Amino acid sequence: MSEALLSHAVGAVKRARRTAGRVRRRVERINTVPALGTRGPRATLRPAHLSVLGGRTLNVAVPCPAGHTGAEAARLVLEHRGLRRTAEMEAERQPDGTVLLTATASLRHARHDLGLGGLRLDDGVWRLSVALRDASGTQHVFAVAAADPYISDGPTLPHPPSATSGTVFRPVRSVDGYAMIKVTGPREQAELDTFELRWDRITVRGRLLAARGRTDEYRAEAVRRGSGATVPVDLTWDGDHFTFDVPLAAMAGGTRAQRMWDVQLRRGRNRIKICRGLTDVRHLGKVFRVPFRTIAIEDGRLLRVHAHLSAAGAFAVNCTAFTTEESA
């Protein structure tokens, strides 16, 4: 390798390291909350693993501290403003002779996940610690240090919302470097579950999350982009789940111009777009791809319809009527 090429390669490696360091520090700043992780001095355990998978499953693995491998019981403790939630930890002996304390627990929102088990957490930041009880009944409490920042730009989000409620459970670090779980409750939203394309209609199914009123107070409408014109949509409710057929005939409106429509719920002046939000997919428009379809409506017209998700996950419909020549 020539000296010039070697110098160029060394420079490229240095630049890559500097870039990786900047990204790591930026991610660390984003995931740092203005709170203290401990109250008073405590011994610290650095986690071998700490994550929330699938938006609602907490996984923790920490090394058992020296001198406590014979502890009779171990519990993972989450604390927030005097509230405590605990989960049993299991001791797993490793091939090198060390012991890992592991815990897996389902996370649920205290107010929006009614009737479900797991650790019920309300909004806020929850401190993590490990409590060990020895044979004499003495309890020893250890703080959990923050895990290394997770850096990824893959096809999935690192902290997706919970599929049951829309709550986000996100591992964060305190300003003094300890592990915490930040809980952010769901906002009022209309979650798109499915949309079914048939030869004569499009049927949409979804549910209302964190509703601020009774379901009979909500109306649905299709809103045309660019003009603000609206077409009412007939809703059918089953609890907080809704079903409707997209009003394609009214949306085509006797014109052959191509039109784009967004479908939304409305309560008073509050408008909520129907979106696919409870997913870990990063680029929805690229993954949930739907082809154009030809649909025959009741008056005999043929429509060219494209029901799809926007880049932000909003449900939208592009429709236009075929001309007589095209129909023939």
Side-chain angles (χ1 to χ4, degrees):
M1 180 181 293
S2 67
E3 184 176 345
L5 184 58
L6 179 60
S7 176
H8 179 76
V10 171
V13 170
K14 289 181 178 179
R15 288 191 296 273
R17 287 178 176 174
R18 287 196 296 267
T19 301
R22 287 195 297 268
V23 172
R24 183 170 56 253
R25 289 190 293 271
R26 182 173 180 270
V27 171
E28 187 172 298
R29 286 196 299 270
I30 292 174
N31 291 329
T32 299
V33 294
L36 296 177
T38 61
R39 296 174 178 175
R42 287 183 183 178
T44 303
L45 302 178
R46 182 163 295 280
H49 181 82
L50 173 59
S51 66
V52 177
L53 299 180
R56 56 186 176 182
T57 303
L58 175 63
N59 293 274
V60 179
V62 296
C64 186
H68 296 276
T69 55
E72 290 197 345
R75 301 182 72 84
L76 178 67
V77 181
L78 290 83
E79 297 177 278
H80 169 68
R81 295 185 176 180
L83 299 176
R84 289 168 59 93
R85 302 289 185 266
T86 62
E88 295 287 345
M89 302 191 78
E90 296 184 2
E92 299 182 3
R93 189 165 297 279
Q94 304 301 298
D96 60 0
T98 60
V99 176
L100 275 183
L101 300 175
T102 64
T104 299
S106 296
L107 301 180
R108 308 292 185 185
H109 196 277
R111 291 177 287 112
H112 297 284
D113 275 319
L114 301 180
L116 298 173
L119 301 181
R120 306 187 66 80
L121 310 179
D122 212 331
D123 289 5
V125 178
W126 294 73
R127 297 175 175 85
L128 295 180
S129 60
V130 174
L132 302 178
R133 191 181 72 246
D134 59 25
S136 66
T138 303
Q139 181 169 273
H140 306 271
V141 179
F142 300 85
V144 178
D148 293 333
Y150 176 77
I151 303 172
S152 174
D153 190 29
T156 58
L157 299 171
H159 308 298
S162 168
T164 59
S165 66
T167 304
V168 176
F169 300 96
R170 186 162 64 96
V172 296
R173 60 189 298 123
S174 65
V175 291
D176 50 350
Y178 291 93
M180 312 179 86
I181 300 295
K182 183 177 181 180
V183 181
T184 305
R187 57 179 175 79
E188 184 181 36
Q189 62 192 84
E191 174 67 13
L192 174 68
D193 289 335
T194 62
F195 60 91
E196 183 179 358
L197 301 177
R198 303 181 183 180
W199 65 272
D200 63 341
R201 71 189 67 185
I202 301 174
T203 301
V204 176
R205 294 179 176 84
R207 55 183 167 134
L208 185 63
L209 299 175
R212 297 181 180 177
R214 303 188 312 273
T215 55
D216 59 6
E217 298 176 1
Y218 291 84
R219 301 290 182 267
E221 59 187 10
V223 182
R224 195 174 79 193
R225 292 184 188 177
S227 72
T230 62
V231 173
V233 177
D234 293 330
L235 274 176
T236 300
W237 288 97
D238 181 10
D240 58 357
H241 288 69
F242 58 81
T243 305
F244 63 84
D245 290 335
V246 178
L248 295 173
M251 290 161 59
T255 179
R256 294 183 178 88
Q258 180 173 290
R259 294 171 172 176
M260 183 71 74
W261 299 77
D262 295 304
V263 186
Q264 63 187 21
L265 298 185
R266 181 170 182 172
R267 177 177 173 267
R269 295 183 178 181
N270 189 26
R271 299 179 178 180
I272 312 167
K273 285 188 177 182
I274 298 175
C275 299
R276 175 70 62 85
L278 306 188
T279 177
D280 64 350
V281 176
R282 188 185 297 272
H283 304 291
L284 289 167
K286 295 181 180 179
V287 175
F288 297 102
R289 301 182 68 87
V290 183
F292 283 82
R293 294 287 296 270
T294 299
I295 292 180
I297 56 179
E298 293 182 355
D299 60 10
R301 284 182 296 162
L302 295 179
L303 305 181
R304 187 172 185 264
V305 176
H306 185 211
H308 62 282
L309 298 180
S310 69
F315 177 67
V317 178
N318 184 328
C319 67
T320 181
F322 283 102
T323 63
T324 305
E325 293 78 7
E326 290 173 328
S327 300

